[in-house]
Amino acid sequence: RETMATTPATESEPKSSSDFESERIHSYNSSNATFLQKASQPCYFRTANCPDQCVHARITYTFRINSLNVVTNPDSTQAKYCTPIAEGAEYRIDETSFVGIVSDSDSGSGSDGPSLKEIADSLVEGDTVELSWNHDYVKRGMAYSPEYPVTKLVKL
């Protein structure tokens, strides 16, 4: 049984500049990848809130990118500074990047299926997946920073 998850707003990759939600999206990345490991990343005690009041400790998921397709937002003024990950490289994603609950591809009913994180948690070393994510540039307060939300995870 194929397990599939996507976030509703980005089920298909953008084809033109008008398909990007806003300039904040620099690129849409779609890949075929091999799952390598799930690991616990501890807090490194770098702020006054550590470790009791911080959110630095998290679960990470590592994938080897077998093939990659990158669609760059032509309207992004910052995209020229972004270098996509190379094929064959390892790509680590933390648990906060898995957003959204999606429909189950087998039912066709549009009913809620597993979340992206639930699918990631079910992976075992060596599983091949279709993995897609956006490269976003997000303003929080007075600062801008990149975010890489996972938009699709399909166990092949």
Side-chain angles (χ1 to χ4, degrees):
R1 176 179 172 197
E2 178 183 276
T3 305
M4 177 176 167
T6 61
T7 54
T10 55
E11 287 184 14
S12 62
E13 76 180 45
K15 305 293 187 244
S16 69
S17 63
S18 63
D19 291 336
F20 287 92
E21 290 179 20
S22 69
E23 186 185 347
R24 76 179 194 107
I25 298 178
H26 290 305
S27 64
Y28 176 86
N29 303 272
S30 178
S31 70
N32 176 290
T34 303
F35 179 69
L36 299 178
Q37 70 175 354
K38 175 181 172 181
S40 177
Q41 177 180 308
C43 170
Y44 294 118
F45 306 103
R46 294 189 177 171
T47 71
N49 292 330
C50 299
D52 300 325
Q53 298 173 2
C54 75
V55 292
H56 300 132
R58 59 189 57 174
I59 304 297
T60 63
Y61 303 82
T62 305
F63 297 86
R64 174 169 290 112
I65 304 299
N66 301 324
S67 64
L68 179 65
N69 180 36
V70 178
V71 178
T72 302
N73 180 356
D75 297 329
S76 173
T77 58
Q78 300 296 318
K80 61 186 172 191
Y81 303 111
C82 304
T83 304
I85 189 167
E87 290 181 8
E90 291 184 4
Y91 185 58
R92 187 171 15 167
I93 302 169
D94 75 52
E95 62 190 334
T96 62
S97 295
F98 294 105
V99 294
I101 295 178
V102 295
S103 59
D104 188 341
S105 63
D106 290 338
S107 71
S109 66
S111 63
D112 285 344
S115 70
L116 295 168
K117 178 144 178 7
E118 290 170 335
I119 292 173
D121 285 338
S122 74
L123 296 174
V124 295
E125 184 179 343
D127 281 348
T128 302
V129 298
E130 182 180 340
L131 174 66
S132 299
W133 67 94
N134 288 339
H135 179 167
D136 296 345
Y137 200 56
V138 180
K139 182 176 183 181
R140 297 201 188 279
M142 298 296 291
Y144 286 89
S145 62
E147 288 186 1
Y148 306 94
V150 174
T151 58
K152 185 176 186 180
L153 183 61
V154 178
K155 185 175 176 181
L156 303 176

